[in-house]
Amino acid sequence: MKRLKSFPAADGFHMPGEFEPHRGCIMIWPKRPGSWPFDAKKARKTFARIAEIIADSEPVIMLCESDVTDSARRMLSDRIQVVEMQSDDAWARDVAPTFVVNQEGEVRGINWRFNAWGGTVDGLYPNWEKDDRIAESFCEKFGYPVYDAGNFVLEGGAVHSDGEGTVLVTESCLLSAGRNPSLSREEIEEQLKRYLGAAKIIWLKSGIYQDETNEHVDNVCAFVRPGALVLAWTDDENDPQYEMSLADLRLLEQETDARGRHFKIYKLPVPKRPVCITQEELSGLVFEPGEDEREVGERLAASYVNFYISNGGVVVPQFGDGHDADAVRILGECFPERKIHPVYARDILVGGGNIHCITQQIPKGGLYERSNGGGSSDEVRC
């Protein structure tokens, strides 16, 4: 594996849009007892369903700790590549490499520092060393050159790109005390431009209410194509989300992207009723000392914005709510060329995230090795 000392932007690389054609998807098989109730039985069924839907139009790599590799192989079809790799939890979007590309189609990874969304200040679990190693380990195994971001803390879900020089972030996340407290907003923005090849960073004020990631942008706002995005929304002025989304809307209505375009904004409703953790779900969790613990009735950060765009479809979270069908309809309008796949996502939400949080795209370009499980490997071009 080639470790790079330069910056992606200086080398002609940038972060692509998630709606662009891509090579495949990374996921991590769930097991952490403090995230997934009752030995992750329900969560694994949902992970498996999502992986199989994505595999209809692109390769899927499922990373697994050694003690759950057999479980993954039993529950997944042969279309899914199961790869043994250590992790602390199953949030591939946040711990896998952030990939960048150049005009020639080369792909490189970025290894940010990961500290469980806040380190000793407000991190969600006390030990995150295995998660912090995943980006470099993945690049090493699959042959991607990797940029090491040093001590700069960032998660994949904290940034969203239009592929044309515009990147969305939230102030609540990137300026949180547990990430890069020694850096100013301007210094953080400069780092993002250097590593993501961005010309413009748009700072939304807030994300989704009660989002444990300090309000990642990928749960509140996402590009569906250059110049167009979806924004989590509620008309209920008594919902704490109302003022948060309204502030973001007002900013976006005044902003332009890196190419000077005003945005087409699709309002994507949050669930009608707050989604809250139940006593039954809580009874299936086992927290380790120092891990953030949940409480009965705690509101979860349910959002339809946390969808996954595959090459052939869009996997849309569902919560058994009156706005489920609205989310499917609106995203169908945003992606008329793709098939919409509604998936009941409560069993992921209980773990602290949503569909987009458990996936990470691999952009197109180059070759990677696909293990056959028998010691040999085939090179696969996607």
Side-chain angles (χ1 to χ4, degrees):
M1 177 187 64
K2 185 177 181 181
R3 292 180 178 87
L4 304 165
K5 301 296 185 181
S6 54
F7 293 107
D11 295 340
F13 284 77
H14 71 279
M15 182 182 180
E18 296 192 8
F19 43 78
E20 297 180 36
H22 50 278
R23 173 185 301 173
C25 175
I26 305 168
M27 298 178 67
I28 303 172
W29 198 240
K31 65 169 267 189
R32 187 179 185 86
S35 296
W36 312 104
F38 305 109
D39 299 320
K41 290 178 181 177
K42 289 185 177 180
R44 288 175 186 171
K45 289 180 181 179
T46 305
F47 272 59
R49 184 182 177 200
I50 291 169
E52 298 295 348
I53 290 171
I54 295 172
D56 285 342
S57 61
E58 65 193 61
V60 177
I61 299 171
M62 186 69 72
L63 308 181
C64 305
E65 289 220 289
S66 58
D67 59 332
V68 294
T69 299
D70 288 344
S71 163
R73 290 196 170 118
R74 284 195 306 271
M75 296 183 67
L76 298 168
S77 73
D78 291 341
R79 300 189 302 171
I80 313 300
Q81 182 183 4
V82 176
V83 174
E84 190 173 311
M85 192 171 293
Q86 288 191 319
S87 65
D88 293 295
D89 209 342
W91 308 113
R93 166 73 174 178
D94 289 346
V95 302
T98 295
F99 290 102
V100 290
V101 300
N102 67 7
Q103 295 300 317
E104 287 70 46
E106 293 179 78
V107 179
R108 295 175 178 178
I110 301 173
N111 177 26
W112 314 106
R113 291 286 71 71
F114 178 79
N115 69 354
W117 309 276
T120 58
V121 175
D122 57 358
L124 298 184
Y125 39 81
N127 302 299
W128 53 78
E129 291 80 8
K130 291 188 289 185
D131 277 349
D132 190 37
R133 289 195 296 266
I134 281 183
E136 185 169 271
S137 296
F138 186 92
C139 289
E140 181 174 15
K141 183 170 183 62
F142 289 95
Y144 292 102
V146 62
Y147 293 97
D148 190 338
N151 292 322
F152 187 70
V153 176
L154 192 76
E155 308 89 38
V159 291
H160 209 282
S161 172
D162 71 348
E164 295 186 354
T166 312
V167 169
L168 296 169
V169 301
T170 66
E171 294 180 359
S172 52
C173 177
L174 268 66
L175 301 183
S176 64
R179 285 178 172 79
N180 300 289
S182 65
L183 300 181
S184 68
R185 170 174 165 151
E186 291 72 26
E187 289 169 329
I188 291 171
E189 181 165 320
E190 185 60 29
Q191 286 288 80
L192 296 176
K193 289 179 177 179
R194 288 172 176 171
Y195 280 100
L196 302 179
K200 184 171 186 177
I201 309 297
I202 295 179
W203 292 79
L204 302 181
K205 182 175 179 59
S206 305
I208 291 293
Y209 179 67
Q210 294 281 76
D211 189 336
E212 296 174 312
T213 64
N214 299 112
E215 303 170 22
H216 271 180
V217 73
D218 71 346
N219 211 21
V220 73
C221 190
F223 288 108
V224 296
R225 59 183 177 274
L229 43 77
V230 292
L231 175 68
W233 184 257
T234 178
D235 290 321
D236 182 0
E237 295 184 16
N238 295 315
D239 189 323
Q241 187 61 45
Y242 178 79
E243 292 294 338
M244 298 168 75
S245 291
L246 181 61
D248 291 344
L249 176 65
R250 286 173 173 166
L251 185 146
L252 289 167
E253 286 177 335
Q254 300 302 314
E255 273 286 4
T256 58
D257 65 15
R259 299 195 178 188
R261 295 172 293 208
H262 288 280
F263 294 111
K264 167 69 174 176
I265 303 169
Y266 296 89
K267 292 180 178 178
L268 197 58
V270 297
K272 282 185 177 181
R273 298 179 304 277
V275 181
C276 302
I277 195 166
T278 66
Q279 176 62 57
E280 179 184 1
E281 290 164 336
L282 191 64
S283 69
L285 295 172
V286 180
F287 300 104
E288 67 177 46
E291 185 171 3
D292 185 62
E293 298 191 16
R294 300 181 179 279
E295 299 177 358
V296 176
E298 177 182 325
R299 177 166 170 170
L300 303 174
S303 170
Y304 300 106
V305 175
N306 215 288
F307 52 82
Y308 179 80
I309 308 169
S310 71
N311 283 326
V314 181
V315 188
V316 182
Q318 304 279 272
F319 307 106
D321 184 83
H323 279 156
D324 283 0
D326 295 326
V328 169
R329 174 182 55 80
I330 293 167
L331 288 172
E333 295 172 0
C334 294
F335 298 100
E337 75 287 359
R338 287 178 164 93
K339 182 177 180 180
I340 305 299
H341 300 274
V343 173
Y344 186 65
R346 183 183 181 98
D347 295 317
I348 299 176
L349 186 63
V350 168
N354 216 318
I355 287 172
H356 190 256
C357 304
I358 67 169
T359 57
Q360 174 65 306
Q361 288 183 353
I362 309 171
K364 266 186 174 295
L367 298 169
Y368 74 97
E369 285 194 334
R370 185 182 184 95
S371 171
N372 293 320
S376 62
S377 63
D378 298 321
E379 284 191 330
V380 178
R381 185 178 297 275
C382 304

